[in-house]
Amino acid sequence: MKIKSLEKYLSSNSIRPTAVRLLVLETLLAQKVAISLTDLENSFEHSDRVTLYRTLKTFQEKKIIHSIDDGTGVMKYALCEESCNCAIEKDLHVHFYCRICNGTFCLPDFKIPSIGLPKKFVQEEANLVVKGICDQCS
């Protein structure tokens, strides 16, 4: 995506398009797997971890990325699909963790099924990670 397109995308999501935010968005767009804060930090020669973390949190609050707890102890981040609102009822999807390449993949075509909870239980988030070997490693 060109810089103007990236700026427009951020602005349309009520995010001020700073240089760091544009670089982070461009980096996330180039990824085929979810990435950690450390991965993001390592992709820039000069980076401030706090600024990168705040950028990820802003993107998450504005629902352009989602976080993934894949069981490795390190939170990963991936771009949401265009129509995603991160709604539990319709937008949450399965993630796949490859034990060979350590990649965490979004599988947006495979939705997490609705789970009926007992009365007065309020669901706030759900996470389903399938672990195994990805198509590139098998």
Side-chain angles (χ1 to χ4, degrees):
M1 244 189 218
K2 294 183 178 179
I3 293 295
K4 287 291 180 197
S5 298
L6 296 174
E7 287 175 352
K8 186 176 179 181
Y9 179 75
L10 289 178
S11 294
S12 71
N13 284 285
S14 303
I15 300 171
R16 191 167 52 88
T18 64
V20 170
R21 289 174 178 170
L22 291 166
L23 287 170
V24 169
L25 179 58
E26 187 174 45
T27 301
L28 289 169
L29 283 165
Q31 301 303 309
K32 293 182 180 177
V33 297
I35 62 172
S36 69
L37 174 59
T38 301
D39 294 333
L40 187 61
E41 185 179 24
N42 291 338
S43 69
F44 299 116
E45 197 171 310
H46 303 286
S47 62
D48 174 35
R49 187 173 182 83
V50 173
T51 301
L52 294 175
Y53 178 77
R54 287 182 181 155
T55 298
L56 291 172
K57 285 299 160 196
T58 297
F59 286 5
Q60 193 170 12
E61 287 167 10
K62 297 296 183 174
K63 301 184 187 315
I64 65 169
I65 66 169
H66 60 279
S67 60
I68 305 155
D69 178 357
D70 63 7
T72 62
V74 177
M75 194 62 69
K76 307 271 178 63
Y77 302 90
L79 285 172
C80 291
E81 292 186 309
E82 202 169 309
S83 62
C84 179
N85 290 316
C86 294
I88 291 174
E89 317 77 53
K90 69 177 192 80
D91 293 322
L92 294 184
H93 56 264
V94 173
H95 293 96
F96 186 91
Y97 175 77
C98 178
R99 65 178 178 80
I100 304 292
C101 68
N102 300 317
T104 300
F105 302 83
C106 289
L107 302 177
D109 293 336
F110 298 90
K111 302 297 182 192
I112 295 177
S114 166
I115 299 173
L117 296 174
K119 287 184 179 182
K120 297 190 178 183
F121 280 69
V122 179
Q123 184 174 347
E124 293 181 340
E125 58 183 84
N127 187 29
L128 179 58
V129 178
V130 176
K131 297 179 181 183
I133 303 171
C134 73
D135 61 345
Q136 297 298 308
C137 294
S138 61

